[in-house]
Amino acid sequence: MQRLYVMFPDRGPGLGLLWLRLCVAGGLLAGGSPAGAPGLVCLVAIGLLLPGLLTPLAVLLAVPGLYGQGAALPWLLLPLAVLMLGPGAYSLDARLFGRRLLQRRPPPNG
């Protein structure tokens, strides 16, 4: 996941990405969940988008869900924007796969 996104922006841009993920999840909810497998795919996509977990997979699940609902072109491009920009700092992806500061331990005495 680290290789997919160079950074996980926080503050204003991070809040914008959080809002973008919430809008995609809201678009999936607003269309009503169809019965059967497409409905299950939509629910899985919503469940992954809300906390920002495995965002590329969630987007791949969201696009067919929105397309199946007959969404307009801007609604279809919204998940692709999430895919290109990344999940942001306010996501589980950032917590799990974000950059970390490595500190060197002092050598053991002995």
Side-chain angles (χ1 to χ4, degrees), residues 46-72:
I46 291 167
L48 292 174
L49 279 170
L50 288 177
L53 180 65
L54 302 175
T55 307
L57 174 66
V59 167
L60 292 176
L61 296 174
V63 170
L66 288 171
Y67 183 74
Q69 294 173 0

Side-chain angles (χ1 to χ4, degrees), residues 16-63:
L17 290 170
L18 173 64
W19 181 250
L20 198 58
R21 287 194 336 260
L22 294 176
C23 286
V24 172
L28 287 169
L29 278 173
S33 61
L40 182 62
V41 169
C42 286
L43 290 177
V44 170
I46 291 167
L48 292 174
L49 279 170
L50 288 177
L53 180 65
L54 302 175
T55 307
L57 174 66
V59 167
L60 292 176
L61 296 174
V63 170

Side-chain angles (χ1 to χ4, degrees), residues 2 4-10 17 85-89 94 98-99:
Q2 178 65 39
L4 290 176
Y5 306 113
V6 177
M7 61 183 171
F8 294 91
D10 60 352
L17 290 170
L85 294 172
R99 298 199 181 268

Side-chain angles (χ1 to χ4, degrees), residues 72-100:
L73 184 62
W75 278 106
L76 292 174
L77 296 178
L78 212 56
L80 298 178
V82 174
L83 182 66
M84 289 187 278
L85 294 172
Y90 307 116
S91 67
L92 288 179
D93 281 344
R95 199 59 130 157
L96 295 172
F97 307 111
R99 298 199 181 268
R100 292 178 173 79

